[in-house]
Amino acid sequence: MLYQREVLDTPEWWQSLDQFIARQKAEHPQSVQTALIPVLHYVQDRFGYIPEKAINHVAQSLGVPTSYVCGVASFYSYFSLEPRGAYTVSVCLGTACFVRGAQAVLDEICRQLNVRPGETTEDGIFTVSDSARCLGACGQAPVMMVDEDVHARVRPQDVADILAEYTAKARAEMAEARATAEA
Amino acid sequence: MDAIQTVRATDRLAEIREQASPHVSLQPDRTQLLIGIATCANAAKARETLSAVQQALQTQGLADDVDLIQVGCVGRCSLEPLLEVRAPGEAPRMYINVTAERASQIVAQDVGGGKPITDWLIDEGKRPEGELEPDTAEAGAINHFIRDWQHVNFFARQLRIALRNVGRIDPEHIDDYIALGGYEALARVLDEMSPEDVIEIVSDSKLRGRGGAGFPTGLKWKFTREADGDPKYVICNADEGDPGAFMDRSALEGDPHSVLEAMAIAGFAIGAQQGYVYVRAEYPLAIKRLEKAIEQARELGILGQNVLGTDFSFDIDLRLGAGAFVCGEETALIASIEGKRGMPRPRPPYPSESGLWGKPTCINNVETLANIPPIILNGAEWYAGIGTEGSKGTKVFALAGNVENTGLIEVPMGITLREIIFEIGGGVPDGLEFKAAQTGGPSGGCLSAKYLDTPIDYDSLREAGAIMGSGGLIVMDSNSCMVDIARFFLTFTQDESCGRCTPCREGTKRMLEILERITQGKGEERDFERLQRLCDVASRSSLCGLGQTAANPVLSTMRHFEDEYRAHIEEHRCPAHLCRALLHYQIDPERCVGCGLCKRVCPVHCIVGDPREPHVITEEVCTACGACFDACKFDAVLRT
Ligand SMILES: Cc1cc2nc3c(=O)[nH]c(=O)nc-3n(C[C@H](O)[C@H](O)[C@H](O)COP(=O)(O)O)c2cc1C
Ligand code: FES
């Protein structure tokens, strides 16, 4: 998912957003506000987060104050107002995973990456999610996810190997992207 | 229903059924392979198994003779991936832990060669066939699945009504649902009943809401029907916020149509033409299957204008949540659909009077709705005959934590915790002792072993200091610290409190601070009193259910596990050896042989020592993670 943000920030993308907003508005002409959350989902799905530009744009298109859009976007933990790292690491802190020792796994990840939950590493490779609750794999608890990959029955001592795998992948991807950009 | 109907819905449905091409399991003349594809299965890499089976069928030249059907999760999550083999004239076989490699062998030897690989079949607690308990026989009469698997302990005590089709049908194939009697209840309602008749059946069934509060569903429908206002709306609450529970997700992933059908029935009963399913964004597979189901139902004229050719119109759209637990609360959910911050408002007025866009709105939970079609088809009396005096029917539980057989179960109300945990669940693993069961998630409570024989119903659970909740059931063994569990739930509620009312916003925060102090060994005697007071205020004066129930995990652990609180406060000791601030690790130089294993597993590299010499833990660096303690083969790491 690396560099998707830059790739997406094109006039065509903004046009598609406008079309989506228009469709949503048409569905609920009596209360345009209703479109807001679907629109924010649309932005985040494609951008990975909700940039300031998009907030202003959405506010204008829906005719609501920017502060209102910010208020809603920041209320819901699913929406991120900051860019995320290349990989999002989440440790399930649902009850089943918790009683099987998930907190120790999360602590270990944060220690190794030197971040707190919710933060992104300096090199931009990992964002450690701060709100993963039950990923639906309670039978394999404790569970951690790196983007879509589920790692089951993780112990603190497994963390280093798992992270190393993705660090290597991210480095390779970055190098490739840089090479393409230069070419 | 004053208008004259053009077509009978039942006839239209019969036409649809004739043209359908279901590949439902249970077709006795075909060899069928059923593979569970759901979130839990995918975590166990079931998709790789699926491709392996497909490929093996191709190579064996069996692709035309054998149906491969992707079904929802049958509930036995920790044995995933599961592959069920059904061949004409043979007893069905369920293979467990089917890796891609195993899959090819199963296809070659069993499906192709007729030689089952018995070592890989489910065999836990297998009892001799023919030796069935009476309620199992009753369950079997209602549900084919239970009939087939009654000899396996995990399934034997179950009774599947809400989950009747889950794991039996391809959820992405409407024909499968229709072949098993789907949409028949809706057709019958449209042809033969008035809205009042429907409400009467639902009321007489004594079905109570499964979303947590247990409000009588029939009454809710009646209020919404009688309320002034037009249009009216039906909302299905699929926000499933309890962390550690996945009943609704499994139902939606495995059988989305039964919820859609029930919503249409509700729409007819209350006089609505539009429904919304509010589903968590964290459930991508459920969302995808719901979208597909809605589309297929529209194509066949089962949703949209003139449902099944009648003059009743009803359509359904999806709305995605965005990661706020409080949005499961009905008024917050409505605010969220309206594009606002998901904050609850005081009730009354209840949504049945003033809900979505100020219009009368009926909100029901996924599981509540999934019960509706069978109630219509089998009658109120049948449903009211199952369960206990005050709690009728069945309840779905997500059984997880320190229990052997984790997974999803549906059991008749009135079953005891002991039956669930020890018979269905197979007890606590690793030879440890049962300590507590937690029901109701962050709004619920922890029950000690004393309550194992309490029947599970709304009232008994409440009396014991827990609640039925939406169906999370977490088992804890002697390694769980109950103070820490209370702290865990408070972290959750404090984080999810929307901040609108003070008792909840501040109360949860103060409670959490006290609990954190206690788990760090800095608790004081007066903390009991402080907690009690905070619990009391938050329960009585919070605006919505979140704050009103936030104290339950604290109250129930203080009530049933007071000695653990005392050990933390008075002796600075965590009896379960879990609270890290109270733990100290040392290496016994007498026992240490200097093998270096602890040094290798230590994530913070705080263990020093030369090979074959006693090692030493540097306490200042040690995070008390316990990895060395678990690793040492000579019991040389001491924990105090
Ligand atoms: C904080 C909070 C969270 C809730 N979360 C859910 C939920 O995730 N799913 C649900 O069906 N009901 C939830 N409820 C209950 C709903 O407010 C409502 O009672 C329910 O959807 C009604 O449906 P029922 O009568 O079919 O149970 C929650 C309530 C509160 C106070
Ligand atoms: S609690 Fe972690 S997957 Fe369910």
Side-chain angles (χ1 to χ4, degrees):
Chain A
M1 321 271 158
L2 227 42
Y3 293 127
Q4 200 182 24
R5 302 192 280 274
E6 286 79 357
V7 179
L8 265 172
D9 194 359
T10 58
E12 291 79 40
W13 189 82
W14 292 97
Q15 256 168 25
S16 77
L17 175 63
D18 283 333
Q19 282 163 4
F20 183 79
I21 294 177
R23 270 205 308 280
Q24 287 293 318
K25 275 163 85 169
E27 261 186 47
H28 295 282
Q30 81 285 15
S31 59
V32 174
Q33 226 178 43
T34 300
L36 180 54
I37 292 176
V39 170
L40 291 177
H41 269 296
Y42 186 92
V43 175
Q44 169 139 331
D45 263 7
R46 286 152 183 84
F47 245 85
Y49 78 113
I50 300 179
E52 206 179 312
K53 265 210 287 205
I55 290 191
N56 291 326
H57 187 89
V58 168
Q60 245 165 24
S61 318
L62 292 179
V64 292
T66 307
S67 60
Y68 184 85
V69 178
C70 275
V72 171
S74 61
F75 180 84
Y76 295 97
S77 62
Y78 193 81
F79 298 132
S80 167
L81 300 180
E82 276 163 33
R84 298 205 176 203
Y87 294 102
T88 301
V89 184
S90 29
V91 176
C92 174
L93 287 184
T95 321
C97 288
F98 183 78
V99 302
R100 289 209 176 178
Q103 186 68 47
V105 175
L106 179 62
D107 291 349
E108 184 55 21
I109 291 173
C110 289
R111 197 188 62 77
Q112 291 200 10
L113 297 178
N114 196 19
V115 291
R116 274 174 305 188
E119 292 178 353
T120 301
T121 53
E122 235 163 68
D123 58 11
I125 295 182
F126 294 107
T127 298
V128 179
S129 159
D130 61 350
S131 64
R133 310 275 189 193
C134 195
L135 307 171
C138 312
Q140 276 95 295
V143 171
M144 78 181 259
M145 253 174 133
V146 183
D147 280 359
E148 307 277 285
D149 302 346
V150 179
H151 297 265
R153 300 183 214 273
V154 186
R155 298 165 306 167
Q157 52 266 45
D158 303 328
V159 165
D161 287 346
I162 296 176
L163 293 180
E165 183 190 329
Y166 292 94
T167 310
K169 255 202 240 177
R171 294 243 162 86
E173 267 181 59
M174 277 186 195
E176 198 178 307
R178 212 168 292 132
T180 336
E182 275 166 21
Chain B
M1 274 206 317
D2 312 321
I4 305 148
Q5 286 193 1
T6 39
V7 191
R8 278 174 52 85
T10 358
D11 297 340
R12 178 75 197 105
L13 186 63
E15 271 169 46
I16 293 176
R17 195 179 299 124
E18 242 161 61
Q19 285 161 13
S21 54
H23 50 219
V24 177
S25 57
L26 316 168
Q27 282 194 3
D29 54 333
R30 299 271 305 170
T31 298
Q32 301 195 308
L33 302 184
L34 276 62
I35 177 165
I37 297 290
T39 304
C40 46
N42 292 350
K45 307 206 181 339
R47 287 211 194 265
E48 288 173 17
T49 306
L50 176 68
S51 336
V53 175
Q54 275 162 341
Q55 211 168 23
L57 287 175
Q58 287 291 346
T59 23
Q60 302 278 325
L62 293 168
D64 293 334
D65 304 320
V66 176
D67 298 339
L68 175 59
I69 306 167
Q70 300 177 35
V71 297
C73 168
V74 296
R76 191 59 185 82
C77 298
S78 50
L79 298 181
E80 302 266 19
L82 295 167
L83 181 71
E84 195 179 328
V85 179
R86 308 181 70 95
E90 294 171 23
R93 297 180 282 284
M94 194 181 291
Y95 284 99
I96 59 173
N97 298 327
V98 184
T99 54
E101 208 174 295
R102 280 189 174 189
S104 332
Q105 289 190 47
I106 293 169
V107 173
Q109 290 185 33
D110 181 342
V111 186
K115 285 193 221 66
I117 310 173
T118 41
D119 283 356
W120 297 346
L121 291 175
I122 193 165
D123 72 342
E124 46 191 35
K126 222 169 161 131
R127 28 177 130 187
E129 289 178 48
E131 256 184 51
L132 290 176
E133 292 172 34
D135 19 334
T136 316
E138 181 200 355
I142 297 166
N143 187 291
H144 322 278
F145 183 76
I146 300 300
R147 196 171 54 212
D148 287 343
W149 297 106
Q150 53 193 252
H151 49 281
V152 175
N153 276 346
F154 183 77
F155 298 113
R157 302 299 307 264
Q158 295 195 44
L159 175 55
R160 294 190 167 205
I161 297 174
L163 300 179
R164 62 200 176 281
N165 293 326
V166 177
R168 304 290 82 197
I169 63 169
D170 178 349
E172 302 195 15
H173 203 59
I174 190 172
D175 292 355
D176 279 17
Y177 180 66
I178 293 174
L180 286 190
Y183 290 110
E184 227 166 81
L186 175 63
R188 203 184 285 178
V189 161
L190 294 177
D191 282 347
E192 299 166 13
M193 294 183 198
S194 70
E196 288 75 16
D197 293 341
V198 178
I199 292 174
E200 195 180 311
I201 292 190
V202 176
S203 299
D204 289 350
S205 77
K206 303 214 169 65
L207 172 66
R208 292 169 69 171
R210 302 291 191 242
F215 191 80
T217 307
L219 204 57
K220 190 182 275 187
W221 289 18
K222 181 164 176 274
F223 288 157
T224 321
R225 166 143 200 97
E226 286 169 358
D228 286 328
D230 189 60
K232 295 178 180 176
Y233 297 100
V234 175
I235 295 177
C236 168
N237 187 343
D239 197 43
E240 192 154 63
D242 177 355
F246 50 94
M247 301 73 53
D248 297 348
R249 193 208 69 218
S250 207
L252 291 172
E253 285 180 357
D255 187 20
H257 285 286
S258 68
V259 172
L260 302 184
E261 177 176 6
M263 287 177 75
I265 294 173
F268 176 80
I270 67 162
Q273 301 199 347
Q274 175 68 45
Y276 293 98
V277 184
Y278 186 89
V279 52
R280 305 180 68 184
E282 291 88 340
Y283 286 175
L285 187 62
I287 293 169
K288 181 183 140 215
R289 290 191 173 158
L290 272 170
E291 278 171 349
K292 208 160 190 170
I294 292 174
E295 199 181 302
Q296 291 176 350
R298 281 186 189 146
E299 267 169 30
L300 292 179
I302 296 175
L303 286 178
Q305 286 294 317
N306 302 96
V307 171
L308 288 169
T310 64
D311 58 0
F312 170 65
S313 297
F314 190 78
D315 209 349
I316 298 175
D317 284 306
L318 292 188
R319 283 292 175 272
L320 302 197
F325 170 65
V326 73
C327 285
E329 197 280 339
E330 50 193 25
T331 59
L333 186 153
I334 288 171
S336 178
I337 296 187
E338 291 173 349
K340 300 177 187 150
R341 295 175 139 224
M343 288 191 177
R345 59 157 179 78
R347 301 172 307 175
Y350 286 88
S352 54
E353 289 164 60
S354 172
L356 192 56
W357 298 302
K359 305 294 181 191
T361 303
C362 172
I363 301 196
N364 278 124
N365 167 261
V366 171
E367 190 189 328
T368 315
L369 289 168
N371 279 299
I372 296 286
I375 290 178
I376 300 284
L377 290 177
N378 300 317
E381 233 169 80
W382 161 78
Y383 195 79
I386 304 164
T388 65
E389 187 52 38
S391 310
K392 299 300 185 187
T394 56
K395 180 77 197 83
V396 180
F397 286 101
L399 184 60
N402 300 313
V403 60
E404 195 66 57
N405 309 336
T406 52
L408 203 72
I409 58 170
E410 181 172 354
V411 287
M413 297 275 191
I415 193 168
T416 64
L417 271 177
R418 185 185 302 281
E419 287 168 308
I420 292 187
I421 296 168
F422 291 92
E423 285 184 34
I424 299 176
V428 179
D430 306 328
L432 291 170
E433 231 171 277
F434 168 85
K435 184 189 251 179
Q438 210 279 348
T439 65
S443 311
C446 292
L447 298 176
S448 61
K450 205 170 89 190
Y451 292 89
L452 276 173
D453 294 306
T454 311
I456 300 232
D457 61 49
Y458 289 97
D459 312 303
S460 316
L461 282 176
R462 181 156 305 162
E463 254 163 55
I467 60 163
M468 175 82 80
S470 56
L473 178 58
I474 310 276
V475 181
M476 296 172 206
D477 64 21
S478 41
N479 283 343
S480 308
C481 167
M482 303 318 286
V483 186
D484 193 51
I485 290 292
R487 185 197 60 78
F488 164 75
F489 280 116
L490 256 294
T491 314
F492 178 82
T493 28
Q494 188 264 325
D495 196 36
E496 295 292 343
S497 168
C498 77
R500 182 160 185 177
C501 74
T502 319
C504 170
R505 185 184 62 233
E506 301 300 323
T508 52
K509 191 144 183 83
R510 296 289 96 81
M511 281 191 257
L512 178 60
E513 281 167 5
I514 297 177
L515 290 167
E516 275 175 346
R517 245 188 4 239
I518 298 178
T519 53
Q520 285 161 5
K522 297 178 195 145
E524 304 165 11
E525 180 60 34
R526 280 194 51 207
D527 283 341
F528 273 108
E529 209 181 301
R530 291 188 182 119
L531 276 176
Q532 201 81 43
R533 243 182 79 91
L534 284 166
C535 288
D536 191 46
V537 172
S539 313
R540 285 198 294 165
S541 56
S542 293
L543 172 61
C544 82
L546 193 151
Q548 288 159 10
T549 58
N552 285 353
V554 186
L555 287 171
S556 66
T557 46
M558 285 205 296
R559 173 169 153 197
H560 302 308
F561 301 94
E562 189 183 330
D563 50 334
E564 284 198 30
Y565 278 82
R566 296 222 168 267
H568 283 79
I569 294 174
E570 291 161 13
E571 303 164 34
H572 306 291
R573 184 172 66 82
C574 173
H577 302 295
L578 202 101
C579 295
R580 284 198 190 181
L582 304 181
L583 289 184
H584 303 280
Y585 288 92
Q586 272 175 330
I587 293 175
D588 180 351
E590 301 284 303
R591 287 199 193 157
C592 179
V593 300
C595 72
L597 189 58
C598 54
K599 197 162 139 184
R600 282 199 293 282
V601 297
C602 175
V604 290
H605 310 296
C606 75
I607 302 181
V608 290
D610 293 325
R612 280 183 287 280
E613 292 294 324
H615 285 39
V616 179
I617 295 176
T618 322
E619 273 227 43
E620 298 76 54
V621 189
C622 175
T623 61
C625 72
C628 53
F629 182 84
D630 293 337
C632 183
K633 296 197 171 65
F634 305 93
D635 293 330
V637 180
L638 307 177
R639 183 167 68 182
T640 43

